[in-house]
mmCIF file of all heavy atoms in Angstrom:
data_model
loop_
_atom_site.group_PDB
_atom_site.id
_atom_site.type_symbol
_atom_site.label_atom_id
_atom_site.label_comp_id
_atom_site.label_asym_id
_atom_site.label_seq_id
_atom_site.Cartn_x
_atom_site.Cartn_y
_atom_site.Cartn_z
ATOM 1 N N SER A 244 -2.273 17.650 -16.546
ATOM 2 C CA SER A 244 -1.542 16.475 -17.148
ATOM 3 C C SER A 244 -0.890 15.616 -16.029
ATOM 4 O O SER A 244 -1.128 14.336 -15.924
ATOM 5 C CB SER A 244 -0.506 16.898 -18.079
ATOM 6 O OG SER A 244 -0.079 15.960 -18.917
ATOM 7 N N GLU A 265 5.190 19.788 -7.277
ATOM 8 C CA GLU A 265 4.589 21.003 -7.757
ATOM 9 C C GLU A 265 5.191 22.358 -7.182
ATOM 10 O O GLU A 265 5.215 22.396 -5.986
ATOM 11 C CB GLU A 265 3.124 21.000 -7.377
ATOM 12 C CG GLU A 265 2.442 22.344 -7.850
ATOM 13 C CD GLU A 265 2.573 22.818 -9.227
ATOM 14 O OE1 GLU A 265 2.369 22.088 -10.286
ATOM 15 O OE2 GLU A 265 3.037 23.970 -9.419
ATOM 16 N N SER A 273 -2.723 25.738 -15.040
ATOM 17 C CA SER A 273 -3.431 26.706 -15.721
ATOM 18 C C SER A 273 -5.004 26.705 -15.667
ATOM 19 O O SER A 273 -5.668 27.593 -15.873
ATOM 20 C CB SER A 273 -3.136 26.718 -17.191
ATOM 21 O OG SER A 273 -1.864 27.086 -17.565
ATOM 22 N N ALA A 387 11.390 20.709 -9.117
ATOM 23 C CA ALA A 387 12.297 19.868 -9.718
ATOM 24 C C ALA A 387 13.500 20.715 -10.463
ATOM 25 O O ALA A 387 13.166 21.447 -11.287
ATOM 26 C CB ALA A 387 11.719 18.832 -10.652
ATOM 27 N N SER A 443 -0.916 35.174 -20.743
ATOM 28 C CA SER A 443 -1.814 34.917 -19.602
ATOM 29 C C SER A 443 -1.370 33.450 -19.035
ATOM 30 O O SER A 443 -2.287 32.776 -18.569
ATOM 31 C CB SER A 443 -3.247 34.806 -19.991
ATOM 32 O OG SER A 443 -3.693 35.936 -20.630
ATOM 33 N N ASN A 445 0.336 30.463 -16.668
ATOM 34 C CA ASN A 445 0.481 30.456 -15.207
ATOM 35 C C ASN A 445 1.996 30.632 -14.770
ATOM 36 O O ASN A 445 2.850 30.488 -15.685
ATOM 37 C CB ASN A 445 -0.060 29.072 -14.602
ATOM 38 C CG ASN A 445 0.706 27.961 -14.961
ATOM 39 O OD1 ASN A 445 1.851 27.886 -14.397
ATOM 40 N ND2 ASN A 445 0.326 26.997 -15.743
ATOM 41 N N ASP A 451 10.405 24.221 -18.082
ATOM 42 C CA ASP A 451 11.302 23.484 -17.481
ATOM 43 C C ASP A 451 11.588 22.143 -18.211
ATOM 44 O O ASP A 451 12.703 21.626 -18.093
ATOM 45 C CB ASP A 451 10.855 23.204 -15.940
ATOM 46 C CG ASP A 451 10.981 24.505 -15.256
ATOM 47 O OD1 ASP A 451 10.987 25.547 -15.788
ATOM 48 O OD2 ASP A 451 10.944 24.458 -13.948
ATOM 49 N N GLU A 633 1.104 20.188 -21.969
ATOM 50 C CA GLU A 633 1.461 21.436 -22.854
ATOM 51 C C GLU A 633 2.921 21.346 -23.187
ATOM 52 O O GLU A 633 3.332 21.914 -24.231
ATOM 53 C CB GLU A 633 1.036 22.701 -22.085
ATOM 54 C CG GLU A 633 1.118 23.899 -23.014
ATOM 55 C CD GLU A 633 0.534 25.109 -22.309
ATOM 56 O OE1 GLU A 633 -0.499 25.128 -21.702
ATOM 57 O OE2 GLU A 633 1.296 26.196 -22.416
ATOM 58 N N TYR A 644 -4.089 27.373 -31.757
ATOM 59 C CA TYR A 644 -5.133 26.681 -30.936
ATOM 60 C C TYR A 644 -6.141 25.866 -31.748
ATOM 61 O O TYR A 644 -6.791 26.454 -32.598
ATOM 62 C CB TYR A 644 -5.757 27.685 -30.062
ATOM 63 C CG TYR A 644 -6.678 27.149 -28.947
ATOM 64 C CD1 TYR A 644 -6.153 26.148 -28.061
ATOM 65 C CD2 TYR A 644 -7.880 27.784 -28.656
ATOM 66 C CE1 TYR A 644 -7.088 25.770 -26.937
ATOM 67 C CE2 TYR A 644 -8.596 27.289 -27.590
ATOM 68 C CZ TYR A 644 -8.158 26.380 -26.814
ATOM 69 O OH TYR A 644 -9.038 25.995 -25.747
ATOM 70 N N GLY A 650 -6.653 22.298 -25.258
ATOM 71 C CA GLY A 650 -5.530 22.407 -24.409
ATOM 72 C C GLY A 650 -5.589 21.573 -23.123
ATOM 73 O O GLY A 650 -4.709 20.691 -22.786
ATOM 74 N N ILE A 651 -6.765 21.668 -22.490
ATOM 75 C CA ILE A 651 -6.963 20.860 -21.355
ATOM 76 C C ILE A 651 -7.128 19.451 -21.615
ATOM 77 O O ILE A 651 -6.564 18.450 -20.960
ATOM 78 C CB ILE A 651 -8.325 21.354 -20.650
ATOM 79 C CG1 ILE A 651 -8.169 22.822 -20.178
ATOM 80 C CG2 ILE A 651 -8.647 20.457 -19.460
ATOM 81 C CD1 ILE A 651 -9.420 23.407 -19.648
HETATM 82 C C1 LIG B 1060 -5.701 31.922 -19.060
HETATM 83 C C2 LIG B 1060 -5.801 30.659 -19.651
HETATM 84 C C3 LIG B 1060 -6.866 30.252 -20.313
HETATM 85 C C4 LIG B 1060 -6.885 29.000 -20.958
HETATM 86 N N1 LIG B 1060 -8.113 28.647 -21.603
HETATM 87 C C5 LIG B 1060 -8.046 27.364 -21.994
HETATM 88 C C6 LIG B 1060 -9.374 26.996 -22.468
HETATM 89 O O1 LIG B 1060 -10.440 27.527 -22.279
HETATM 90 N N2 LIG B 1060 -9.553 25.669 -22.954
HETATM 91 C C7 LIG B 1060 -8.328 24.863 -23.204
HETATM 92 O O2 LIG B 1060 -8.428 23.732 -23.419
HETATM 93 N N3 LIG B 1060 -7.176 25.213 -22.575
HETATM 94 C C8 LIG B 1060 -7.026 26.416 -22.112
HETATM 95 N N4 LIG B 1060 -5.876 26.859 -21.656
HETATM 96 C C9 LIG B 1060 -4.742 26.088 -21.837
HETATM 97 C C10 LIG B 1060 -4.748 24.846 -20.879
HETATM 98 O O3 LIG B 1060 -5.194 25.219 -19.627
HETATM 99 C C11 LIG B 1060 -3.325 24.258 -20.726
HETATM 100 O O4 LIG B 1060 -2.902 23.900 -21.978
HETATM 101 C C12 LIG B 1060 -3.291 22.946 -19.909
HETATM 102 O O5 LIG B 1060 -4.201 23.131 -18.751
HETATM 103 C C13 LIG B 1060 -2.021 22.619 -19.605
HETATM 104 O O6 LIG B 1060 -1.941 21.589 -18.567
HETATM 105 P P1 LIG B 1060 -0.557 21.015 -18.187
HETATM 106 O O7 LIG B 1060 -0.782 20.215 -16.937
HETATM 107 O O8 LIG B 1060 0.180 20.460 -19.395
HETATM 108 O O9 LIG B 1060 0.373 22.275 -17.823
HETATM 109 P P2 LIG B 1060 0.103 23.381 -16.469
HETATM 110 O O10 LIG B 1060 -1.358 23.590 -16.303
HETATM 111 O O11 LIG B 1060 0.860 24.660 -16.864
HETATM 112 O O12 LIG B 1060 0.832 22.660 -15.285
HETATM 113 C C14 LIG B 1060 2.007 22.389 -15.146
HETATM 114 C C15 LIG B 1060 2.422 22.538 -13.771
HETATM 115 O O13 LIG B 1060 3.852 21.991 -13.633
HETATM 116 C C16 LIG B 1060 4.371 22.864 -12.657
HETATM 117 N N5 LIG B 1060 5.958 22.932 -12.823
HETATM 118 C C17 LIG B 1060 6.453 23.420 -13.878
HETATM 119 N N6 LIG B 1060 7.820 23.192 -13.821
HETATM 120 C C18 LIG B 1060 7.964 22.625 -12.544
HETATM 121 C C19 LIG B 1060 9.110 22.112 -11.904
HETATM 122 N N7 LIG B 1060 10.318 22.224 -12.469
HETATM 123 N N8 LIG B 1060 8.963 21.530 -10.693
HETATM 124 C C20 LIG B 1060 7.656 21.366 -10.145
HETATM 125 N N9 LIG B 1060 6.619 21.836 -10.760
HETATM 126 C C21 LIG B 1060 6.750 22.429 -11.993
HETATM 127 C C22 LIG B 1060 3.726 24.341 -12.882
HETATM 128 O O14 LIG B 1060 3.888 25.182 -11.673
HETATM 129 C C23 LIG B 1060 2.357 23.929 -13.121
HETATM 130 O O15 LIG B 1060 1.475 23.910 -12.036
HETATM 131 C C24 LIG B 1060 -5.747 28.167 -20.981
HETATM 132 C C25 LIG B 1060 -4.702 28.508 -20.250
HETATM 133 C C26 LIG B 1060 -4.617 29.704 -19.524
HETATM 134 C C27 LIG B 1060 -3.441 30.124 -18.797
#
Side-chain angles (χ1 to χ4, degrees):
S244 202
E265 173 50 57
S273 289
S443 311
N445 76 66
D451 294 13
E633 196 176 309
Y644 188 47
I651 297 171

